[in-house]
Amino acid sequence: GEDACRTRHDHSPENLALLRRMALNLLQHNGPPKDSLRQRKLRAALNDNYRMELLLGEHNRKTI
């Protein structure tokens, strides 16, 4: 199925590379400082709440 993949046409490779860089920047600059990048990737893949915290920047907010 790789030959039928449309991510190799037009601007798709550049767009996907940009999205990947943005995702890696979110993971590198947010999250628990003791966790490795690999741990943060796995946690974001498995935990919807953690992923939303990364996207919305709510990891530093405390609830009252």
Side-chain angles (χ1 to χ4, degrees):
E2 286 186 30
D3 293 337
C5 184
R6 293 180 177 231
T7 59
R8 297 176 189 238
H9 302 293
D10 300 327
H11 295 283
S12 297
E14 293 93 356
N15 293 338
L16 284 176
L18 178 66
L19 288 173
R20 287 184 186 113
R21 280 196 306 269
M22 288 172 57
L24 282 175
N25 276 330
L26 274 175
L27 289 170
Q28 287 173 349
H29 297 291
N30 297 307
K34 292 185 179 181
D35 286 354
S36 67
L37 184 58
R38 185 176 186 176
Q39 288 173 323
R40 293 177 192 184
K41 282 183 191 180
L42 182 62
R43 181 177 292 142
L46 298 176
N47 188 335
D48 292 335
N49 292 329
Y50 180 70
R51 189 167 46 249
M52 288 306 294
E53 287 176 9
L54 287 174
L55 291 173
L56 300 176
E58 296 178 355
H59 65 282
N60 289 331
R61 296 183 188 170
K62 293 183 180 178
T63 57
I64 298 174

